[in-house]
């Protein structure tokens, strides 16, 4: 009975992974297709990669998306880390329940509602103060920080809850100031969560289409908006090449984050063993 259950779980896991990864593999293969018609194989070629790198429109969208993603990830990580610290380390404070609910709200709020509300917000600001004068880079960045911060805060909160306060309390007992405890103890131990949160916010920004389409304006096309506008008229081989490059970049980033987290966990395990040996 146990063997049948294991076989069933293995088959279901294999089918699930195949359903997720086989389309990506096919997309990568067809990005090297010479034919202009995507479903028709015309032989191996780098034709569409050459056309992709020669496209000023694509490069403009890539640069804009990367700028927004980097700024969004940086500020979302800082604000999310502060929010996570407040939820875990500050104990019970007035308005904590409301604060926690406001952090979680962007996670469950439909993107259409978030995008529409931000659009109304920016229009109202423009009518009252004349800012922003136009929607584009600034408005998209603010919108992305708004919802990405929630994901980072949850990640930091989970990490802080799991790692405890023993080392921080020991450092405080030995005379370390709160700021010194934060910079020498808490933040180094939070490095895996900070890196994961930054990469998560970066990926969410690059992936966002719905919210960006609400708060953008003429001449400010992010990469997802550009891709969506092109595939609306049919599949294009250069989009396959672009998607392949994105998959490669994200894979490298995820692998780097995994290596950093593994090294951090190994260092913590080594320090714990040394501490147990001294007792």
């Amino acid at each position: 009975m146990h063997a049948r259950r294991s076989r069933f779980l293995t088959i279901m896991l294999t089918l699930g992974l195949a359903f997720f990864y086989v389309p990506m593999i096919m997309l990568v293969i067809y990005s090297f297709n010479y034919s202009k018609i995507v479903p028709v194989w015309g032989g191996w070629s780098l034709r569409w990669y050459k056309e992709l790198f020669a496209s000023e429109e694509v490069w403009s969208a890539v640069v804009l998306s990367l700028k927004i993603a980097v700024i969004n990830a940086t500020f979302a990580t800082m604000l999310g880390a502060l929010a996570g610290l407040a939820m875990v380390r500050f104990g019970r404070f007035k308005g904590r329940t409301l604060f926690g609910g406001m952090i979680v709200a962007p996670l469950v709020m439909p993107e259409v509602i978030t995008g529409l509300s931000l659009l109304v917000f920016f229009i109202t600001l423009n009518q009252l103060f004349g800012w922003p004068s136009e929607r584009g880079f600034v408005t998209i960045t603010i919108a992305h920080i708004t919802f990405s911060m929630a994901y980072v805060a949850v990640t930091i909160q989970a990490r802080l809850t799991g790692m405890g306060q023993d080392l921080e309390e020991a450092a405080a007992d030995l005379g370390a100031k709160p700021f010194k405890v934060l910079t020498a103890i808490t933040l180094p131990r939070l490095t895996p969560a900070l890196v994961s949160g930054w990469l998560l916010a970066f990926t969410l920004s690059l992936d966002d289409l719905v919210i960006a389409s609400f708060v953008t304006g003429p001449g400010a096309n992010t990469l997802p908006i550009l891709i969506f506008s092109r595939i609306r008229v049919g599949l294009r081989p250069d989009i396959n090449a672009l998607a392949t490059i994105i998959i490669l970049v994200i894979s490298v980033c995820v692998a780097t984050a995994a290596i950093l987290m593994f090294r951090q966990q190994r260092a913590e395990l080594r320090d714990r063993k040394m501490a147990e040996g001294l007792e």
Side-chain angles (χ1 to χ4, degrees):
M1 186 67 179
H2 180 72
R4 291 181 179 178
R5 184 180 302 174
S6 299
R7 190 179 300 111
F8 174 77
L9 292 176
T10 302
I11 294 174
M12 294 304 296
L13 177 62
T14 303
L15 290 176
L17 292 175
F19 181 80
F20 184 76
Y21 285 104
V22 167
M24 292 187 182
I25 295 173
M26 293 177 60
L27 184 146
V28 172
I29 293 175
Y30 275 97
S31 70
F32 296 97
N33 182 16
Y34 180 81
S35 174
K36 190 174 183 179
I37 303 176
V38 175
V40 178
W41 183 256
W44 297 93
S45 174
L46 295 175
R47 170 186 178 184
W48 303 112
Y49 286 90
K50 295 177 181 178
E51 290 195 10
L52 181 67
F53 284 108
S55 174
E56 293 184 2
E57 184 182 18
V58 171
W59 278 111
S60 176
V62 168
V63 171
L64 178 63
S65 295
L66 288 177
K67 286 181 179 179
I68 293 173
V70 170
I71 296 175
N72 160 69
T74 302
F75 280 91
T77 301
M78 291 190 295
L79 296 175
L82 293 175
L85 283 169
M87 290 296 295
V88 178
R89 292 291 189 259
F90 287 11
R92 304 293 300 181
F93 57 88
K94 189 175 181 180
R96 186 180 188 276
T97 303
L98 176 62
F99 181 68
M102 293 176 66
I103 291 176
V104 177
L107 302 178
V108 296
M109 191 74 66
E111 290 187 343
V112 173
I113 303 300
T114 302
L116 181 60
S117 61
L118 287 169
L119 173 61
V120 174
F121 175 70
F122 289 131
I123 291 176
T124 304
L125 285 180
N126 178 263
Q127 292 176 346
L128 294 177
F129 307 104
W131 182 91
S133 57
E134 60 180 12
R135 294 189 299 274
F137 173 78
V138 175
T139 55
I140 297 174
T141 303
I142 294 174
H144 283 186
I145 293 174
T146 301
F147 75 88
S148 297
M149 180 182 66
Y151 291 87
V152 178
V154 171
T155 304
I156 299 298
Q157 186 176 350
R159 174 64 177 171
L160 285 170
T161 304
M163 74 182 191
Q165 304 184 50
D166 296 341
L167 293 177
E168 298 171 15
E169 293 174 351
D173 291 339
L174 293 174
K177 301 296 183 181
F179 183 75
K180 183 66 175 180
V181 173
L182 176 65
T183 56
I185 304 297
T186 306
L187 290 181
R189 299 180 70 193
L190 275 178
T191 300
L194 292 173
V195 173
S196 300
W198 194 94
L199 288 174
L200 179 60
F202 182 85
T203 305
L204 288 171
S205 179
L206 284 181
D207 181 62
D208 176 64
L209 170 65
V210 178
I211 295 177
S213 63
F214 275 94
V215 298
T216 191
N221 287 333
T222 61
L223 197 56
I225 294 176
L226 176 65
I227 293 174
F228 181 73
S229 64
R230 288 193 173 189
I231 64 173
R232 289 180 64 182
V233 296
L235 296 176
R236 295 180 50 164
D238 57 339
I239 297 301
N240 290 344
L242 179 59
T244 301
I245 295 174
I246 294 174
I247 291 173
L248 177 62
V249 172
I250 296 299
S251 299
V252 171
C253 292
V254 171
T256 303
I259 293 173
L260 291 175
M261 293 179 66
F262 174 76
R263 290 181 177 178
Q264 181 71 18
Q265 292 174 355
R266 187 171 60 180
E268 288 185 1
L269 181 61
R270 183 177 62 251
D271 294 341
R272 190 178 295 113
K273 288 183 178 180
M274 292 177 60
E276 292 176 355
L278 295 175
E279 294 179 354

